Structures are given as structure tokens and as C-alpha cells.
Amino acid sequence: DTGVSQDPRHKITKRGQNVTFRCDPISEHNRLYWYRQTLGQGPEFLTYFQNEAQLEKSRLLSDRFSAERPKGSFSTLEIQRTEQGDSAMYLCASRGRGSGANVLTFGAGSRLTVL
Amino acid sequence: GQNIDQPTEMTATEGAIVQINCTYQTSGFNGLFWYQQHAGEAPTFLSYNVLDGLEEKGRFSSFLSRSKGYSYLLLKELQMKDSASYLCAVRETAAEQGNLIFGKGTKLSVKP
């Protein structure tokens, strides 16, 4: 078990470009979450998958944001036409079934800087 | 609406005890979590309370009062490595799907 992996760890892009982040959850976890965190703030919920189904989306997830989990394993978060306000740490977390199901395990995050 | 409040910063001395408070107002409640986050790293799970009372785990304890919308995290025998942000989070909805709503975090500095 290698934990939750996120790639890339850092991304610097120019305003208007598209970026994509990938998350590989813990292998037996069927639930996957995306959060955004800015400096000095707590993580803010973006979206949630159970297996391949996207079951919940925050109002923070504008139409420039799209997330997928096509085979119920890894997930991608794409931001189109990036804006400077998108600069943040994008955190992925996963959660499984059974006795450990209450706990979200987070990845180290993908830090986005939009110039 | 949703509101989770915790102090922005706290300072304590190595070897001492510190209590980090969290108050919450949410539309539902299905558990309160504490996470530790070192700068530039992932949040890591510390504790979970769903019933009133104290949960102890080594040097860390967490308390919950649902009627008061209040929790605290108690850290004993502070070590320098405990310098981090401590995040209070509430799960509003049923455990099957509910995501966590986080406070802004309390940055704890432990001094020699």
C-alpha cells in the first residue's frame, strides 16, 4: 500500500492554459474526493466519486473544472482556461469500506501556480 | 449555513500541554475529525468523535459535546515535531457519502 499518489506535485502555468492533475487512490478504496486548499485555509470540498460515479459536486466546481474516474480507480481533475484565482493546492483523498471507512486518507497534493 | 471556528494561531512550550478548541454550526452532524498538517504536506488523520466524550490516543485526546457544537484537541508532552496546523472537520451527512467540511486550521508553534 503506497498511499494516495498525486501527480504532478507542482505545476506552473500561464493564465488561459489547461491543466490536468491525476490521483491514484489506495487500491481497495472505492470513494475518492477532490479538495482545494489555499494558504492559511482549510481544504474546501470540490467533488466526490463512489467507484466511477460522480455523486456530489460543490458549487466551487465551476464549468471550467471537470473531474473523471473512468474505471473507478484513478481520477483526473482538469481545469480549463486557468485563472490566477485557481492557484491553490489540489488535494485528493480516498476512503474505503469497513472499519476504516470513516477516515479520509489524503495525498500530498498538486500545487498549481497560475501566472 | 456552515461555520467551523478555531483559533488561527497558538504558541506553546516543549513539554507542556495545549488545548485547541473548535466550535461548529452545520446543518447536520455525523462525526468530527481532527487532522494534522505539516507545511507543504498532506493532512494526516489524528482522531474521530461521533459520540459525546473524550477519545484518548497516546499523547493526543479529543473531546466532543454535540449539544454545544464544541470539540477540543488536547496535546500532551509537546514535542518540537508537533509544530503544525491542526484542522477540525465535520461530516454533515450520513457516513456513506458525506464529505468533510474543514475549519481554517490552527497553526501551532512549539518553542523550546
Side-chain angles (χ1 to χ4, degrees), chain B residues 17-107:
Chain B
I17 299 172
V18 70
Q19 179 175 311
I20 302 174
N21 296 324
C22 171
T23 58
Y24 63 90
Q25 291 176 306
T26 54
S27 56
F29 181 83
N30 203 275
L32 187 139
F33 298 75
W34 285 94
Y35 279 79
Q36 180 192 60
Q37 187 176 28
H38 285 99
E41 297 183 12
T44 54
F45 171 75
L46 289 177
S47 70
Y48 165 67
N49 296 69
V50 67
L51 300 176
D52 291 351
L54 190 67
E55 294 282 341
E56 296 187 81
K57 193 187 293 185
R59 294 190 299 115
F60 292 32
S61 303
S62 57
F63 171 83
L64 175 67
S65 169
R66 287 172 296 170
S67 62
K68 295 182 180 178
Y70 168 69
S71 173
Y72 68 72
L73 179 69
L74 194 70
L75 292 77
K76 302 176 187 176
E77 301 168 13
L78 280 173
Q79 302 175 9
M80 298 299 290
K81 68 178 182 179
D82 297 329
S83 293
S85 284
Y86 291 84
L87 300 164
C88 174
V90 171
R91 173 172 290 141
E92 283 190 311
T93 60
E96 183 62 28
Q97 66 181 63
N99 74 83
L100 299 185
I101 302 164
F102 284 86
K104 294 183 178 180
T106 298
K107 184 178 179 182

Side-chain angles (χ1 to χ4, degrees), chain A residues 31 35 37 42 95 102 104 107, chain B residues 33 35 37 42 95-96 100 103:
Chain A
R31 299 169 193 151
Y35 284 82
Q37 186 176 27
R95 184 160 78 103
N102 279 321
L104 264 65
Chain B
F33 298 75
Y35 279 79
Q37 187 176 28
E96 183 62 28
L100 299 185

